[in-house]
Amino acid sequence: MKWMTILAPLVFSLQAVSAQRCPLPGSSCSQLENACLAALQLSEFNPADIENYHRWWSPDGFVVVAETGTYEGMDSVKEYMSYGTGNNGVYFAWSMEEGSRVPIVLSAGVGDCEVAFVSTFVYDFNEPAEEQYTKGGKISATVMGIYKFSYSDLIITGTEPLTGSANIVIEKLRGFYPNTFWKIVAELFDTKAFKKLLCKTMRKSCRSVWNGNDYCPRDCKADLRAMPPTDKYANPRKETFDWRGTSIGCRQLHLAFVVDGNPKHCAHISGIPMEDPDGAIKCQDGNSQVLPEDLFTTDELSLAYGIGQSILGFDSTLLTYEPAL
């Protein structure tokens, strides 16, 4: 099977920084801001090169997205980002709209940086696959990833093109998606074919979870038919959608990890609450809810919405969806 991604916007290549918003040399950016962008490029950081993450990520680094959770430590970061680079996930093709990437240096100290990338990404659920588990269609969305990292040994030997070397250590990646994105994607996977895949995988690869639910194939599918695509809850600040609780969306994410060979996530696709080997219970009602406002400042969110609308051309929803023909 060809497993694709839904978190690809966070893992674009960071090449050609010198041609972006804060170019090197001769831009309006400060020397420290230019150094941040130069260090990213010269470190040769490639988010898709999972096997070399030890070169760029802190052993204690983490990735966090409000709607899907936090993945901390090298093994968890590599697993989550493997999902995001197309080595795992569920059946669609993604691409970045040409010329849409807008990098902004949010903070720049001596050796410490925080850089936001705002981009348009296209998710094509009509991509041919061995089996079609979704309802099809295409989503274009504004996505923002904010990397916090330190750098050292920055040596610039040329500027046109930028040449030299640098070392970086990424401490954190915060990912922002339009909230409606999670609703649409989860609804696309709310299909008989996908539920059949989940039940089949649980029965074959997660036998203790299957037995713990006292399932037969019919009962498993019945539980999934009764399950909402996303968590939807009332919050004093706004109504949002979420993949942390009892939902198809949460199970789609963790099923991908199981298919990729990690039985630790078997408990996360269970119908009833079950602890994983670390004692955590996921994809169940009662899990803490997190909003984008809990992860991003007002200015950072304004940046995503401002660029998404004024530069990338979206309306206030920051996305468009074209149903399958």
Side-chain angles (χ1 to χ4, degrees), residues 149-168:
F149 63 95
S150 59
Y151 67 88
S152 61
D153 302 322
L154 174 60
I155 300 174
I156 297 177
T157 58
T159 57
E160 294 183 7
L162 182 67
T163 57
S165 61
N167 295 318
I168 65 168

Side-chain angles (χ1 to χ4, degrees), residues 222-270:
D223 276 1
L224 291 173
R225 283 196 300 270
M227 194 173 292
T230 72
D231 301 338
K232 183 178 180 181
Y233 61 94
N235 185 285
R237 286 172 285 183
K238 70 181 216 180
E239 185 179 71
T240 188
F241 300 94
D242 192 284
W243 284 15
R244 290 172 178 258
T246 306
S247 66
I248 295 297
C250 192
R251 280 156 180 77
Q252 181 277 135
L253 175 64
H254 292 276
L255 176 64
F257 299 143
V258 174
V259 170
D260 201 37
N262 188 347
K264 171 183 173 179
H265 294 274
C266 282
H268 307 156
I269 64 174
S270 170

Side-chain angles (χ1 to χ4, degrees), residues 166-231:
N167 295 318
I168 65 168
V169 179
I170 301 171
E171 302 165 19
K172 181 194 307 184
L173 171 58
R174 292 179 287 147
F176 168 82
Y177 295 76
N179 190 248
T180 308
F181 172 85
W182 304 102
K183 173 180 181 291
I184 295 173
V185 172
E187 289 175 346
L188 293 180
F189 286 101
D190 191 11
T191 64
K192 289 182 180 180
F194 182 76
K195 293 168 187 177
K196 180 180 178 180
L197 172 66
L198 190 150
C199 291
K200 179 180 178 181
T201 303
M202 187 192 302
R203 180 163 52 90
K204 289 188 173 182
S205 303
C206 306
R207 197 68 193 182
S208 63
V209 173
W210 180 265
N211 292 337
N213 281 268
D214 195 23
Y215 270 155
C216 66
R218 182 172 58 186
D219 292 339
C220 178
K221 293 172 188 175
D223 276 1
L224 291 173
R225 283 196 300 270
M227 194 173 292
T230 72
D231 301 338

Side-chain angles (χ1 to χ4, degrees), residues 3-286:
W3 288 81
M4 294 301 288
T5 176
I6 63 170
L7 295 182
L10 299 184
V11 291
F12 43 74
S13 171
L14 295 175
Q15 301 304 311
V17 171
S18 61
Q20 299 296 329
R21 189 176 182 86
C22 288
L24 285 170
S27 76
S28 59
C29 294
S30 70
Q31 184 176 1
L32 287 176
E33 289 170 331
N34 277 330
C36 287
L37 295 176
L40 272 176
Q41 181 173 344
L42 295 176
S43 71
E44 299 182 336
F45 172 53
N46 179 3
D49 188 2
I50 306 297
E51 295 305 313
N52 280 307
Y53 266 31
H54 61 278
R55 291 177 52 193
W56 307 301
W57 277 86
S58 165
D60 301 318
F62 66 92
V63 179
V64 58
V65 177
E67 292 85 354
T68 58
T70 300
Y71 292 80
E72 185 172 1
M74 183 64 71
D75 289 343
S76 291
V77 167
K78 288 173 68 174
E79 181 177 61
Y80 195 68
M81 297 296 278
S82 177
Y83 177 82
T85 54
N87 298 318
N88 211 327
V90 184
Y91 291 138
F92 64 84
W94 69 268
S95 61
M96 183 176 70
E97 187 172 291
E98 187 69 26
S100 71
R101 184 177 63 190
V102 180
I104 302 290
V105 179
L106 300 180
S107 64
V110 179
D112 292 291
C113 309
E114 197 160 39
V115 177
F117 287 83
V118 184
S119 310
T120 296
F121 276 74
V122 180
Y123 309 79
D124 189 353
F125 291 87
N126 301 311
E127 179 75 4
E130 295 178 17
E131 293 187 56
Q132 180 66 293
Y133 294 120
T134 76
K135 298 174 183 177
K138 183 181 293 186
I139 302 174
S140 298
T142 298
V143 179
M144 178 172 67
I146 298 181
Y147 286 85
K148 180 175 175 59
F149 63 95
S150 59
Y151 67 88
S152 61
D153 302 322
L154 174 60
I155 300 174
I156 297 177
T157 58
T159 57
E160 294 183 7
L162 182 67
T163 57
S165 61
N167 295 318
I168 65 168
V169 179
I170 301 171
E171 302 165 19
K172 181 194 307 184
L173 171 58
R174 292 179 287 147
F176 168 82
Y177 295 76
N179 190 248
T180 308
F181 172 85
W182 304 102
K183 173 180 181 291
I184 295 173
V185 172
E187 289 175 346
L188 293 180
F189 286 101
D190 191 11
T191 64
K192 289 182 180 180
F194 182 76
K195 293 168 187 177
K196 180 180 178 180
L197 172 66
L198 190 150
C199 291
K200 179 180 178 181
T201 303
M202 187 192 302
R203 180 163 52 90
K204 289 188 173 182
S205 303
C206 306
R207 197 68 193 182
S208 63
V209 173
W210 180 265
N211 292 337
N213 281 268
D214 195 23
Y215 270 155
C216 66
R218 182 172 58 186
D219 292 339
C220 178
K221 293 172 188 175
D223 276 1
L224 291 173
R225 283 196 300 270
M227 194 173 292
T230 72
D231 301 338
K232 183 178 180 181
Y233 61 94
N235 185 285
R237 286 172 285 183
K238 70 181 216 180
E239 185 179 71
T240 188
F241 300 94
D242 192 284
W243 284 15
R244 290 172 178 258
T246 306
S247 66
I248 295 297
C250 192
R251 280 156 180 77
Q252 181 277 135
L253 175 64
H254 292 276
L255 176 64
F257 299 143
V258 174
V259 170
D260 201 37
N262 188 347
K264 171 183 173 179
H265 294 274
C266 282
H268 307 156
I269 64 174
S270 170
I272 61 175
M274 283 191 174
E275 290 187 353
D276 65 22
D278 295 328
I281 297 176
K282 297 184 179 182
C283 298
Q284 298 292 338
D285 290 339

